[in-house]
Amino acid sequence: MNKEVFFSLQNTVATHNIGKSLGKILPAGSVILLEGNLGSGKTTFVQGLGAGLGIKETIDSPTFTLINEYFSGRIPLYHFDLYRLESSEIEALNLEIYWEALEVPLGIVAIEWAEKLVYYPPNFLRVYLSFSNVGDICEQTPCARHAKLISIGKFDLDLDKI
């Protein structure tokens, strides 16, 4: 059964904190599919997730490396970015080896630009991040930031506790 929760966010710190809260409670085997426009906070969310997992390393967007793997937290974090990839390239990544732990230890899989996925795991948390600014530059004017989290399939998490 799918469950949905919506957050209005004051700033990027709030985005980070939602990720951090999840990082403290998510079990190994969790898959998080992040969607949102450029600059909406996908990497910030994953940085918070890493902080909640206890990862001390700097978490950067894997836009050019495609994947960053972190093993220093309570469970591994596998961070993907599909922004620059075409469908055939995404399919060739064989992402199921990460969410099914076929060749790597079971951890949390976080995928930025997940709307580009060719296939999905059976259970996941979809995270939509968005912002709209009143002026031209969000840093100089008030921003309306939002996060919508939707559990899909048998993704078992009480979203109301976040």
Side-chain angles (χ1 to χ4, degrees):
M1 180 174 173
N2 298 349
K3 183 170 183 183
E4 183 176 313
V5 66
F6 182 83
F7 297 94
S8 289
L9 308 169
Q10 283 290 103
N11 50 36
T12 57
V13 173
T15 304
H16 183 275
N17 287 340
I18 290 175
K20 187 174 182 178
S21 294
L22 283 170
K24 291 178 180 181
I25 61 173
L26 284 176
S30 298
V31 179
I32 301 171
L33 303 183
L34 295 131
E35 300 180 21
N37 49 342
L38 206 57
S40 62
K42 294 178 292 295
T43 301
T44 299
F45 181 95
V46 177
Q47 290 168 337
L49 185 65
L53 288 167
I55 296 170
K56 301 294 184 211
E57 301 161 69
T58 300
I59 294 179
D60 294 317
S61 176
T63 302
F64 295 102
T65 57
L66 304 183
I67 180 171
N68 290 334
E69 300 177 341
Y70 304 93
F71 296 99
S72 62
R74 67 175 177 87
I75 53 178
L77 173 62
Y78 306 107
H79 181 196
F80 290 87
D81 187 323
L82 307 180
Y83 181 69
R84 299 189 180 281
L85 300 180
E86 299 296 325
S87 295
S88 60
E89 296 169 306
I90 294 168
E91 192 169 359
L93 290 174
N94 297 313
L95 295 171
E96 68 276 1
I97 67 171
Y98 287 90
W99 61 63
E100 294 176 6
L102 298 175
E103 297 176 17
V104 295
L106 191 60
I108 294 176
V109 177
I111 303 174
E112 293 188 39
W113 297 97
E115 61 270 26
K116 297 182 84 174
L117 281 172
V118 178
Y119 54 91
Y120 293 87
N123 309 299
F124 57 92
L125 180 65
R126 175 169 272 146
V127 177
Y128 292 103
L129 297 168
S130 63
F131 73 93
S132 58
N133 57 323
V134 178
D136 293 329
I137 301 174
C138 200
E139 286 79 25
Q140 296 176 359
T141 59
C143 289
R145 294 185 171 273
H146 302 97
K148 181 166 57 170
L149 284 62
I150 306 169
S151 62
I152 305 291
K154 295 180 182 177
F155 189 90
D156 189 24
L157 179 66
D158 186 355
L159 296 176
D160 295 326
K161 293 184 178 180
I162 300 171

